[in-house]
Amino acid sequence: MPSPTRRTVLALGALAGALLAAGCTEDHRDADRADRPDPDLPLRLRAVAATDRLLTDYDAVIAGPGADRAAALRELRADVEEHRAALAAGLPAPSPSGPTPSSATASAMSATSATAAPAAGVAALAAAERRTAAERLADLEAASPALARLLASVAASGALHVRALGDPGPIAPPAPTATAPGASAPGVSASASAPVSPSAAPTGAPPTGAAPAGSAGGSASGHPAPLPTGAVAALQAALSAEHAAVYGYGVVGARTPAGPQRDAARAGYAAHQARRDALQRELDGAGATPTAAAAGYRLPFAVSDAAGAGQLAAHIETQLTAVWADAVAGTGGALRQTAATALRETALRAAQWGADLSALPGLPEQDAADGAGTTPGTSASASG
């Protein structure tokens, strides 16, 4: 890994400034939509039903043998309660008389309501977490930008829970039933929750020279396939943050002695290089000019030893969870799945470096309380 030779170093603003600005919805559009059915309602109902099922699984395991793990399981359960609150925000309150659910409600809840017995042990609980996260990923494409951002964050938290429960198995959505003509199938890395290995390819990153999942790649006539303006802005913001992350990991590696921590630094450096390169190819294939690396970066705090290097790596990854959560909202289709994969992977690396992530990685606390907040806009800023 190259040592940093520039006098300027990583700036917090280079990552935080890459976040997409929250968009505002015009009042008259809100009024127009007030009488329309909420297209996210079936997805929210299904997610809430699945989350209730997961809470039941936690209760069954906590009440069973192995009380030594009960405290840790309660902490994970508290995260799941936060997921439920965010997913249920804005749902119509049930009538005190308990009316029969509508057909849409019944259909949305039927897939998660009924069959298996509660999880009987920690391994079964990890499998339930993985299954629930995969279901949230399967709903990404049909969700509104704001709900997709929330679902991807819930799935990222589920990946963290799976790891905490001792299961390194992958988090992946079910195979799509149909793919739009000319589009790649949504790409989710099977290694999304695998431990970082210095000898392995970067987690979830395409091999060098390969187009990323959902790549525009140009049309059959050889002309670039354009992306929506909002998707381009989201990818450019992510690219700016990945440029900064690559430089930041250069600092991490330079301040870390040989050993497992430096191996993890090398793996993180390679993963962010691959993400950066994939984003550049994606934008270039769509006819957009990829954002260049800034002329200089500044560290958010002094890094003089291995402890400081680890804190910097945790800081970088935590900042990137917000960048990639916004990219989920700003894109669609296979690109949305790719952004959700990046969100999960950066959350897992943040946890590996000791970051204390919230129950909803990448979402500001107020957005989480509001059920995903507003849809990110298309503007982005950068600082150097």
Side-chain angles (χ1 to χ4, degrees), residues 51-68:
T51 306
D52 284 340
R53 180 70 185 181
L54 189 55
L55 288 168
T56 299
D57 289 339
Y58 268 97
D59 290 338
V61 177
I62 290 171
D68 56 321

Side-chain angles (χ1 to χ4, degrees), residues 25-118:
T25 306
E26 297 177 8
D27 291 342
H28 73 275
R29 290 184 181 176
D30 287 341
D32 290 342
R33 292 171 184 167
D35 297 329
R36 300 179 188 174
D38 179 5
D40 282 336
L41 181 59
L43 303 181
R44 282 186 177 273
L45 290 170
R46 182 160 60 243
V48 168
T51 306
D52 284 340
R53 180 70 185 181
L54 189 55
L55 288 168
T56 299
D57 289 339
Y58 268 97
D59 290 338
V61 177
I62 290 171
D68 56 321
R69 295 202 64 179
L73 293 177
R74 288 191 185 97
E75 289 185 10
L76 299 182
R77 189 190 186 283
D79 286 349
V80 179
E81 287 182 331
E82 289 193 42
H83 299 167
R84 191 196 191 283
L87 290 164
L91 288 181
S95 168
S97 60
T100 302
S102 67
S103 59
T105 301
S107 174
M109 298 179 70
S110 62
T112 54
S113 62
T115 53

Side-chain angles (χ1 to χ4, degrees), residues 187-200:
V188 181
S189 169
S191 61
S193 57
V196 175
S197 169
S199 60

Side-chain angles (χ1 to χ4, degrees), residues 202 205-212 215 238-239 242-243 246 269-285 290 324:
T208 302
S215 173
L239 177 56
E242 291 292 352
H243 278 309
V246 167
Y269 181 80
H272 289 297
Q273 277 188 317
R275 282 281 175 212
R276 176 202 63 192
D277 295 347
L279 285 164
Q280 288 173 327
R281 289 193 299 270
E282 187 72 55
L283 289 161
D284 186 64
W324 282 111

